[in-house]
Structure formats: structure tokens, C-alpha cells
Amino acid sequence: MGALDIGIIGPALPAIEKSFHVDPRLASWMFASYILFFMVGTPVMAKLSDRYGRRNIYILDITLFTTGSAITALSPSYPLLILGRSLQGFGAGGIFPVASAFIGDTFPPESRGRALGIIGSVFGFSSIAGPVLAGFILPYGWEWLFLINIPVAAIIVIAGFFILPVTVKDDEGGFDVLGTIILAVLVTSLAIGINQLNTADIPGSITRPIVSLPLLIAMALLPILWRVENSARDPIIQVDLLREREVRIATAISAGNGLSQSAIVFIPSYALLALSLSESMASFSLLPFVMTMALGAPVIGFLLDRAGSRTVMVSGSLILITGCLMMALLSSTLGLFILAEVLMALGLITVIGAP
């Protein structure tokens, strides 16, 4: 649900713009506010789960996400709708890392890869499948994109109390309030600055105060955050982990994966222009991608346990690079286009999350 609501909003934007009489620039905050608070919620909720137990924070995350869904669907005004989306994103930001931490706590090493592979693949699959699902729900009203979360979340919360193990760690000192505030302001400033960039005139738009001021704030806060987290007794971001080579490599790969995953949004438009497909056919051009991710996920988890993370990550990265190059340079026919999609999906599902 958390991943679906990243991309599911795209097809609904025109209907929401019309419903609240807002322009496309303002409507983009439906997406930006969710991602922004998702980014803030991820480290905050992960740290809270270390301190106060996985189950409690996981159920709190789902409750926040569901409350945000209800506010978004029932909002009488656009500002309240953005508040609902922000609450949704903040709760969703904790769902993925806390679920992964559950696996790390409870599964033995020999089967941990398969379990993490399932969670990682569901997240990747759902973020891409969101726009496809929206096409089926939108005829009944955009509100149902969010109302449908409520009964599903209620079942998960009830089941969570009975199934999820209780894990509590000793209190390691006061919560890192200062680090959390600085992180939130930094990420917010960065998101606002990037969101206001005019891609048709990037050099000119950088000089505008709405772009330059938030970006300068973000740059100024970065060394301050580093210093505060280095001196904090129980930091929200453990910056000394970045001294570990494995963490730096994994973070760099994650950045590349994120950019690759973002590019997938444009595949239908690419199919429309490059292959001269109709709009209806282009909208289904992601189906090979989605199907490959769904079918490949359990296989990748199995290989992760058998072959090890390094082999899987290197192989997956090479497959993803090959698929991207083929999509860019060789996808002149429908067959090559689908093959490029399959390679991209196989590579992406290999390197998302589990390794």
C-alpha cells in the first residue's frame, strides 16, 4: 500500500486538479509532499523501532498511513488534502525499513535473503504497478484510490497484534530531537528547491529566490547535521556507518537504482513516440516490466541465499545497465523494446532492497 501510493496518484492528478481548481504546479505537491515526508519518516521510524520495539512502531506507521488516507479522500479543501498526503508519506516511510528489520530480527541467515527478496520485490513491483491499478479504480472516483487502504490496513493492524513478535531494546538515552529537526528542515528545503526548478531554463531558475534560498539552506544544514549526529549519544543517522566501504557502495547502488526506477515512469511516453503506439497501447507498455518483476522476485530471493549478495548485486547491476542501454539505443522494434523492459525489470528487482 505504501509503495502503490507513490505512483497511483499520477493518473488521478487531472481529476484532483479539476475537483479543487488548482493548477498543475500546485497539484504536483500531491506527489512531492508524500515523497518528502516518506524521506523524513524512513530514518525517524527506523530509529524509533530500534528504541521502542518493531511491532509498536510498525502498527503506528500503518495507523498514520491509514489516517492520512482517510484525510486525503475526505478533504473538503486542497491544503487539508496535502496534510493527508504528508501524513500518509510519513507513515509509509516507516513501513518498509521496519518490515525489513523484522526479517533481520526473526529469520535465520540461510532464509533471510528469500524473505527480504519478497518484501523488496513487493515494494518495487507496487511502486510501478500503481498507475496500472489507478486505471481500474479511477472510474469510480479518485477518492477510492485512498479509501481502499482503510479496510486492508485494519486487517493488517489486527493481525499484527497477534502475529508480529514483540521486540524491545534498552533505552540508550534521550531521543535525538535536534538531529531529527535539522534532517526534516534539510530534506524539506531540498525538496522545495528541486520542485520549483524550471527544467526548460535551469540556469535562469536557480537565481529565483524560491529555488536558490531553499537549496542554500539545505547546503548550509548538511555540515551542521553531520556535526550534530557525530556528537549525539543516540543519533537519528549514524554517520560513522558511512566510513564502512560496504555501506558507501550499497548507498551508491541505491542511488543508481532510484534513478533507474524513476526513468520507468517515462516508458509509456517513450513507447508512444518511438514506436508510434496508440495511447491505449502505450499505457499497457509497462506490463512486461511488471510481470517480470512479479515472476522474478522469488527466484532472486532464492539465488540470494545460494549465491550470496555480492554475486547477485553485481549480476543484477550489469543486467540493469544492459537493459537501460538497449532501451536507449536499440529499442527500435516492439520485440527489442519488450526485451529491454524485461532486462531492466530483472536487473532492478535483483538490486532493490534485499541485497
Side-chain angles (χ1 to χ4, degrees):
M1 293 191 302
L4 278 171
D5 275 44
I6 295 175
I8 205 170
I9 198 67
L13 279 177
I16 296 172
E17 289 173 21
K18 185 177 180 181
S19 179
F20 290 96
H21 307 289
V22 294
D23 59 57
R25 171 69 73 176
L26 197 58
S28 69
W29 278 100
M30 279 283 292
F31 177 79
S33 61
Y34 186 92
I35 294 296
L36 168 62
F37 281 88
F38 190 103
M39 290 163 63
V40 175
T42 296
V44 171
M45 292 300 182
K47 172 57 70 176
L48 288 175
S49 77
D50 286 341
R51 293 171 61 90
Y52 303 114
R54 311 279 189 227
R55 188 178 74 173
N56 295 337
I57 301 304
Y58 190 72
I59 290 174
L60 172 63
D61 289 332
I62 294 174
T63 303
L64 289 172
F65 175 80
T66 311
T67 304
S69 298
I71 293 172
T72 302
L74 305 174
S75 293
S77 65
Y78 190 69
L80 194 60
L81 183 140
I82 295 299
L83 174 64
R85 283 290 286 173
S86 302
L87 195 59
Q88 256 196 312
F90 191 66
I95 290 173
F96 185 62
V98 178
S100 299
F102 263 124
I103 300 302
D105 290 342
T106 57
F107 277 67
E110 61 270 14
S111 59
R112 195 174 294 159
R114 246 170 292 183
L116 285 170
I118 292 171
I119 290 182
S121 62
V122 166
F123 188 87
F125 170 80
S126 300
S127 62
I128 294 165
V132 178
L133 181 63
F136 293 103
I137 299 176
L138 269 176
Y140 302 98
W142 64 264
E143 295 86 355
W144 284 101
L145 297 177
F146 307 102
L147 291 174
I148 199 172
N149 294 330
I150 297 172
V152 179
I155 294 170
I156 294 171
V157 168
I158 294 169
F161 276 111
F162 292 99
I163 295 173
L164 297 177
V166 177
T167 59
V168 179
K169 292 192 176 182
D170 294 333
D171 193 336
E172 300 176 2
F175 187 73
D176 183 17
V177 176
L178 180 59
T180 303
I181 293 172
I182 294 173
L183 174 67
V185 175
L186 189 157
V187 172
T188 302
S189 301
L190 188 63
I192 291 173
I194 292 174
N195 183 259
Q196 295 300 314
L197 275 172
N198 179 6
T199 53
D201 181 24
I202 291 178
S205 64
I206 287 177
T207 60
R208 295 169 56 218
I210 190 63
V211 175
S212 58
L213 187 59
L215 292 179
L216 287 172
I217 292 172
M219 290 172 61
L221 286 176
L222 186 59
I224 296 173
L225 177 66
W226 187 275
R227 184 171 182 177
V228 168
E229 296 303 89
N230 263 322
S231 60
R233 183 177 176 186
D234 188 22
I236 193 74
I237 296 179
Q238 200 168 333
V239 293
D240 61 338
L241 286 176
L242 292 173
R243 297 190 183 101
E244 300 291 338
R245 184 179 61 174
E246 292 85 352
V247 174
R248 294 199 302 270
I249 292 172
T251 302
I253 291 173
S254 294
N257 297 344
L259 291 170
S260 301
Q261 199 168 354
S262 300
I264 293 159
V265 175
F266 302 100
I267 285 181
S269 300
Y270 184 81
L272 189 70
L273 296 171
L275 300 177
S276 302
L277 297 180
S278 65
E279 288 189 5
S280 58
M281 285 296 293
S283 64
F284 290 106
S285 62
L286 277 176
L287 284 178
F289 201 105
V290 172
M291 292 301 297
T292 302
M293 293 191 81
L295 295 173
V299 178
I300 298 305
F302 176 79
L303 290 175
L304 190 63
D305 290 328
R306 289 297 181 93
S309 58
R310 181 170 63 180
T311 301
V312 170
M313 287 183 82
V314 171
S315 303
S317 298
L318 291 173
I319 293 171
L320 177 58
I321 290 167
T322 303
C324 288
L325 287 172
M326 182 175 285
M327 179 65 73
L329 304 175
L330 302 174
S331 56
S332 56
T333 65
L334 184 60
L336 289 173
F337 180 87
I338 292 174
L339 178 60
E341 267 195 282
V342 168
L343 289 174
M344 287 177 68
L346 191 59
L348 200 58
I349 202 63
T350 304
V351 293
I352 283 182

